[in-house]
Each structure stands twice: as structure tokens, then as C-alpha cells.
Amino acid sequence: MSSKVRAASAPMKSIGAESGYTSLRDDFEKLLTASDRVQGELGDRLAALSEIIEERNLLHALIDQVPDQLFIKDKSLRFLVANNAVVSDKTFLDGQPMSAAALIGKSDFDLFPAEIAQRFADAELEIMQSGDPVTTDMRENIDGKGWSKWVSMTKVPIRNDKHEVIGLLGVGRDVTSRKQAEERVQFLAHHDFLTGLPNRALFADRLGQAILASRRDGGRLAVVFCDLDRFKMVNDSLGHLAGDTLLTIAAGRMVGCLRSTDTVARLGGDEFVILLNDVGEGPDGVMRTIEKVRSSLSERVDVLGQEFTVTTSIGVATFPDNGHTAEELLTAADAAMYRAKELGRDNVQFHSSVVTTSAASKRLQLAEGLRRALANDEFVLHYQPQIDLKSGKIFAVEALIRWQHPELGLLSPDAFIGLAEETGLIVPIGRWVIKQACAQNAVWQAEGMRPIAVSVNVSARQFGNNGLVDDVRRALEQSGLAASYLDLELTESMIMQDLGQAIKTMKDLEALGVRLSIDDFGTGYSSLSALKSFPIARLKIDRSFVAGLSSDEGDRAIATAVISLGQKLNLRVIAEGVESDEQLKFLTDNGCDEVQGFKFSKPIAPADVVALMKRQVS
């Protein structure tokens, strides 16, 4: 090639190289641009992912704050989501606690015994197959040892945008408190609140079922009424808390004497009833159980630091001998129990037709008659003289009520006062006694008899009644009797039931000018420190201590202590129930101030009081 040709071709080569460089630069710039775009997109995606992660963390934080259980499972029933409430307080198959995060990917078969897990799986698969939500109350075991709680669990199938079921949502709420409240209400509807024993309604139901079974099988059963003797004395002496404690102890002892097939129920107060199934022929089988009950109940009992024994009056009726229905058997056993009380308490009586007439019917008639007695002016007062030992003179009389029954004749307080207290009639009756005693004493003085005081017993119900002070004020005003000639006798047990209120009432009565005495002193467990604050003038030694003065060292020691206490507190001391020269000598020798009892006079009519006072003057 010529040199000209070569020279011409050189520039051509330079232009091509420049063009290649330009293309390469363009490609590089495009690459850089693409890289920037990718980096931008990657940044956007990372930012979006970070936002998603942040939102997911927020979602987890939120659902963990929800107190209800919340979880999501896939179609294989493995956990996809679960909050802390799902695992709270629980231990699972391995016996160890587990975090909510550790549940993810697991199924119930990894967590629970196979039979429990299978039950969950069957229910949840059915929900996903049917597509219907289900809510059930279920009991969850918490620690594997019996501690459980109630959960109201709602499970709902989860669907995708094609309406296909792809999983399960579960929401569970702890409803243990509600369930416990429902169970408590259900329990109390059929059980006694204090003792936990079946109540009258549940007992009647069980008795009815037992009667049906006995008719079908030809068996025999017994209904046993048990009434704690003199339970009211415990209540009055130690207070209602002590009474409730005694009832609870008695209930436990009776249950301990019975078979699992028997039932003991509390009907109210101190009345219990027992159902004995399959007792066999004759009374022997029943008596063996009854004697076990009596023996257990008669064991010494410690109530609030006081030891004592209780006895029980028991009445028995058997099926089919004494009744064919629950009502007939209960009525028959109740009547037999009252017959046991009539015969002196602490004994067992089997039902007979005589029992029904002499006990249950008589008691009902007596209650009805008592309601009419005040309106019909059937009550009368007798008066027992009280003697000053130094002068030997009558200084007061105690008013004692009698009921002049139109059919039964003159009844002593023992025949009706207990019934009056049960029915609440003791309050108007007590009001009448105060009014009548004041009026009678005013009449005696108006007729010229030497002035003496009249003592009136106040019942616990009457003392707790807000109208007592007004009743006393009204009786004094209407009769014209000076307040100093009225003495109200209060038992220490009624005072100790509500000491603050009792002292206020006593001070209000003292402000009227009446005298106050503590009756039956020594039987009510009153505090000596409290005794100093009582505005009283006299202590009365209970007749139970006086009766033992001739033979019992303990009774003599108590009487001596009461007399000494009265002297130190500047209180007069009177002993009731004095019947013998030996009792009188002991009391006189030990400085007792006053006495009353059959040694001097029984309770007598008002006219006889006047005659007795005249003989003393002469």
C-alpha cells in the first residue's frame, strides 16, 4: 500500500476508537443509573420491610397486652401466632413453663397428653370443615396437679380472599370468677350457708328419691330429727358466734357417724334431720346409728375457750311404718322429737300416733293460743318475796308471769316462754309485765302497804328492742309509781352480746331512776372489767349454784366468790332458789345480803302478798 493510502487510513482508526469509548461511557452511565435505581428500590424495600417488621413487633406487643387468650393456627393445627395469655400460668407436657414464641410451629400434640390433644384436634378440625364458629366453656388444667380455671373459648375459621378456610382463630377469656359465683349460688340454693349441709329443699328431694327406691326394692328407711338441748342458753350466754361454732361442730360430728349413702341436713336453728337408707327390720339398726350420733354429740366441746357438753333430743319415723310421703315422715319424726323433749330431753323417741297428737298438734295449738292471750287478758302475775337477811323483812317481790289458759288451766313460764321467744311475742308480753307490775305496786302503796320494790325480768329480745326505755317510762308515768321502786333484772349474757349498746341502754334506764340487777350471775361468762362499767345495784346468784351449796365444793366456792365480788364493788347480792336451812346458813355466814326461794315463800297472788306483809308487821 502506498504511503498516501496509509496516511488516509490513520484518522479513520482514531474516529472508531472514540466512538467505542463513547458507547462504553454511555453503557457505564446507564449501569450507574440502573444501579442507583436498584439501590433506591432496595432502599424502599428495606424501608418497607423495616416498617413491616416494626408493625409486626407492634402487633405482637399489642396482642401480648390483651388479657384474653389469642392464637392463630394453620390448617395442620400448628400455632402461627400466640400471645402471652395462652401460656400464662400453665405448664405443658414436659412440666415446664413455655413462652408464647416457643409455641410457634407446635401443635397441641407437642403440648398435652395425647387424649387431650386429640379432643382439641377433633373439635378444631370440625370447626374448619363446617366453617362455623363455636364458643364453649372449658376447664383448663393449670399446673398438672388439679389446679384449674374456667375459660370461655371462641374458635373461628379463617378464610382467604377465595373464601377458603386456611386456618383457625382462637380467643379465650378467663371466666373462673363467674363460674365460681354460679357454682356458689347453685350450692347455696341447696345447702345451709353456715354448716354446708344440705338444706330442707335438697333433703326433701333426696328423701323423695329414697322413698321411690324403697318402694321399688321393698326396703326400709328412717328419718331422724335431732334437736340440740338448751342451745338457746349457749347463744344467750356466749353470743351468736359461739352458737354458730357449736352448730358447725355438731354438723361435722353427725356427718362423721353416717355412711356415704345417708344424708344429714340442717333445717334451721339447732334442728338437724338425718336420712338413713336400708335400715332393715326393727329398730336395732337405726338405734346403733343414733347412739353413735348421740355419743359423738355429747363429747365435750370447746367453743371460744369455754368447755361444755350438749345433749340431744331425737325423734324417729320409719318408712313405710309411719308415713308414705316425705311430708308425712318429716312431720312424724318432728312430732317424735318434741315428745322426747317433753319427757325430759336427752332421749330418743320413735313415732306413734299418740306422739302426733300430744306433741306437734299441742305445740301448734299453744302457739295460736299465745297469740290471743294478750288480747283476751289471760296473763296474770304472781310475786315471790325477797328477804333482807339482816332485818328478816320483805324488801321486794319478783314479778313472775303465769298464763291462765282457758282449757289447760294455769301454766307456768316453762310451758310457754320459750315459744313466746321463738315467735317474737316475748316483746309485747314483756311490755305488759312491766306495765302490770308497776300498776300493782302503785295500788299496794295506795292501799297503805309498806313500800317495797318490784323486780321484773327483761328478756334478751326485749332488752335489744329500741322501745324498752320508752316502755318503762310510760309504765311509770301511767301507774304513778316512783322509779326507785322498780328493779329490772337483766341476764349478763344479753348484756355481753353488744356491750356498748347494752351500757347505753342501762344508763338510759338508770337516768329514769330505776334500779338494775344482773340475774343468773355466774352463768354468762361476763368480763369482770366490763362489770365495773355496768350501772347496776345488785348481783343475783343463779339457783343452779345455790342448789349445790349443801354438797358441792365448786358451787360453794362460786357463791362465796360472787358475794365477795359484790362487797368489793359495793353491790348488793341476792341468792335465788333458797329452799333449805343449810343453804340459808351458808349464805348468811358468808355475808349474802338478800335471799328468795321456797324456804320463805313460793310465788303468790297479789292479795297474798298483802296478807304476808301484814303478818310481818304484826
Side-chain angles (χ1 to χ4, degrees):
M1 182 181 295
S2 67
S3 58
K4 288 184 179 181
V5 173
R6 289 195 297 273
S9 61
M12 293 295 292
K13 184 176 180 180
S14 175
I15 291 170
E18 184 177 349
S19 176
Y21 291 148
T22 299
S23 176
L24 182 61
R25 186 178 64 249
D26 291 343
D27 290 342
F28 183 69
E29 288 176 351
K30 290 178 180 177
L31 182 61
L32 288 176
T33 300
S35 176
D36 289 342
R37 187 172 64 252
V38 169
Q39 286 183 6
E41 292 176 355
L42 182 60
D44 291 341
R45 291 189 180 186
L46 287 174
L49 180 60
S50 176
E51 187 176 339
I52 290 172
I53 292 173
E54 186 176 338
E55 289 178 352
R56 181 170 180 174
N57 290 338
L58 178 60
L59 177 62
H60 276 289
L62 287 175
I63 67 172
D64 278 338
Q65 297 304 311
V66 176
D68 295 340
Q69 297 182 27
L70 192 153
F71 60 84
I72 296 175
K73 293 181 179 180
D74 60 19
K75 290 195 69 174
S76 298
L77 301 181
R78 296 189 178 278
F79 285 94
L80 299 177
V81 177
N83 69 348
N84 286 333
V86 175
V87 297
S88 177
D89 296 331
K90 293 194 193 71
T91 54
F92 294 96
L93 196 58
D94 59 0
Q96 299 298 320
M98 182 178 292
S99 68
L103 280 183
I104 307 307
K106 288 183 168 54
S107 74
D108 288 328
F109 288 94
D110 300 314
L111 307 172
F112 301 104
E115 64 275 11
I116 296 176
Q118 189 63 55
R119 190 163 68 246
F120 288 160
D122 291 342
E124 291 172 354
L125 286 171
E126 184 177 347
I127 290 171
M128 287 193 290
Q129 289 170 2
S130 69
D132 297 324
V134 172
T135 298
T136 56
D137 286 350
M138 55 185 293
R139 199 159 199 155
E140 282 192 351
N141 189 281
I142 303 300
D143 61 357
K145 298 178 182 178
W147 178 38
S148 61
K149 66 181 180 182
W150 280 97
V151 175
S152 179
M153 180 66 69
T154 299
K155 294 179 179 179
V156 181
I158 300 175
R159 293 178 171 84
N160 60 14
D161 55 0
K162 297 179 182 180
H163 209 65
E164 298 169 336
V165 175
I166 59 173
L168 184 83
L169 168 68
V171 179
R173 171 160 294 181
D174 187 342
V175 292
T176 305
S177 297
R178 189 195 78 197
K179 280 288 185 180
Q180 289 174 340
E182 291 173 354
E183 290 172 355
R184 183 63 175 164
V185 169
Q186 183 68 14
F187 180 85
L188 291 178
H190 298 94
H191 292 80
D192 173 53
F193 177 80
L194 175 65
T195 63
L197 294 177
N199 61 13
R200 183 184 294 271
L202 181 54
F203 183 85
D205 180 69
R206 291 187 181 178
L207 177 55
Q209 294 180 33
I211 291 172
L212 291 176
S214 295
R215 285 175 179 164
R216 182 182 63 248
D217 303 332
R220 297 177 74 251
L221 59 85
V223 175
V224 183
F225 253 83
C226 301
D227 187 274
L228 304 183
D229 296 328
R230 298 183 177 89
F231 172 74
K232 185 180 181 300
M233 185 177 70
V234 176
N235 246 359
D236 289 347
S237 298
L238 298 178
H240 291 293
L241 177 59
D244 289 348
T245 303
L246 176 59
L247 291 173
T248 303
I249 293 172
R253 289 182 177 181
M254 281 187 275
V255 170
C257 295
L258 304 179
R259 304 164 297 180
S260 60
T261 55
D262 300 326
T263 297
V264 57
R266 181 182 175 220
L267 301 185
D270 59 342
E271 285 191 342
F272 297 84
V273 61
I274 298 172
L275 168 61
L276 301 177
N277 285 293
D278 301 320
V279 295
E281 295 293 333
D284 293 345
V286 177
M287 282 304 300
R288 279 193 295 270
T289 301
I290 290 174
E291 286 304 326
K292 283 174 61 178
V293 171
R294 285 184 68 194
S295 176
S296 179
L297 290 176
S298 65
E299 293 176 5
R300 292 191 68 80
V301 59
D302 187 318
V303 175
L304 303 183
Q306 297 291 335
E307 280 197 358
F308 53 86
T309 59
V310 294
T311 58
T312 311
S313 297
I314 297 176
V316 186
T318 57
F319 173 87
D321 310 286
N322 307 131
H324 293 85
T325 67
E327 183 178 354
E328 289 174 354
L329 290 171
L330 287 167
T331 300
D334 187 33
M337 182 270 291
Y338 277 109
R339 177 62 175 166
K341 284 191 174 295
E342 285 181 351
L343 295 177
R345 300 182 173 89
D346 191 23
N347 71 90
V348 179
Q349 292 295 312
F350 282 74
H351 175 270
S352 70
S353 58
V354 176
V355 166
T356 303
T357 302
S358 63
S361 297
K362 178 180 176 182
R363 181 177 174 81
L364 180 61
Q365 293 170 1
L366 200 64
E368 289 302 316
L370 193 59
R371 297 181 188 279
R372 297 189 297 267
L374 270 175
N376 295 341
D377 198 24
E378 295 173 4
F379 292 118
V380 295
L381 292 183
H382 285 188
Y383 300 87
Q384 186 168 39
Q386 298 177 336
I387 312 299
D388 182 293
L389 284 177
K390 286 186 178 179
S391 66
K393 300 289 186 180
I394 298 173
F395 73 94
V397 290
E398 180 179 2
L400 299 168
I401 192 170
R402 301 290 186 265
W403 181 7
Q404 189 64 57
H405 195 282
E407 298 171 359
L408 302 176
L410 192 65
L411 300 181
S412 69
D414 290 342
F416 62 89
I417 287 297
L419 193 58
E421 289 174 342
E422 290 178 23
T423 57
L425 291 172
I426 193 66
V427 174
I429 290 174
R431 185 183 302 122
W432 177 87
V433 171
I434 293 174
K435 179 181 179 180
Q436 184 67 19
C438 289
Q440 180 61 69
N441 201 5
V443 168
W444 283 332
Q445 292 186 19
E447 292 176 347
M449 191 176 84
R450 175 170 56 86
I452 60 174
V454 61
S455 293
V456 176
N457 291 285
V458 177
S459 72
R461 278 203 180 192
Q462 190 180 8
F463 186 69
N465 187 285
N466 292 331
L468 175 61
V469 177
D470 288 337
D471 290 341
V472 172
R473 181 187 294 109
R474 191 177 302 110
L476 291 171
E477 291 173 351
Q478 291 177 353
S479 65
L481 181 71
S484 58
Y485 293 114
L486 175 63
D487 188 331
L488 298 181
E489 297 188 4
L490 318 171
T491 62
E492 55 181 325
S493 57
M494 75 170 67
I495 297 171
M496 296 306 295
Q497 288 182 19
D498 186 345
L499 187 57
Q501 182 60 42
I503 292 176
K504 179 183 182 305
T505 301
M506 294 168 73
K507 287 185 176 179
D508 289 344
L509 292 169
E510 181 190 36
L512 294 179
V514 303
R515 295 201 320 163
L516 302 176
S517 301
I518 293 187
D519 192 12
D520 300 339
F521 188 76
T523 64
Y525 315 106
S526 63
S527 165
L528 294 181
S529 61
L531 184 62
K532 295 188 300 182
S533 63
F534 297 163
I536 57 174
R538 192 167 62 162
L539 300 178
K540 197 169 194 179
I541 303 175
D542 184 63
R543 67 176 62 249
S544 62
F545 301 128
V546 174
L549 290 180
S550 59
S551 59
D552 191 294
E553 285 293 338
D555 287 343
R556 286 196 288 266
I558 291 173
T560 303
V562 173
I563 294 170
S564 177
L565 178 64
Q567 292 171 343
K568 287 180 170 56
L569 293 177
N570 294 317
L571 302 175
R572 302 281 290 179
V573 178
I574 182 171
E576 66 175 342
V578 178
E579 299 181 356
S580 69
D581 291 335
E582 190 174 357
Q583 293 168 346
L584 179 60
K585 183 177 186 306
F586 178 90
L587 293 167
T588 303
D589 292 345
N590 283 276
C592 187
D593 301 297
E594 305 156 0
V595 291
Q596 74 178 86
F598 282 17
K599 167 68 179 170
F600 303 95
S601 174
K602 65 180 182 179
I604 53 180
D608 295 328
V609 173
V610 174
L612 188 59
M613 291 285 289
K614 287 180 177 178
R615 285 200 299 272
Q616 280 201 336
V617 172
S618 61

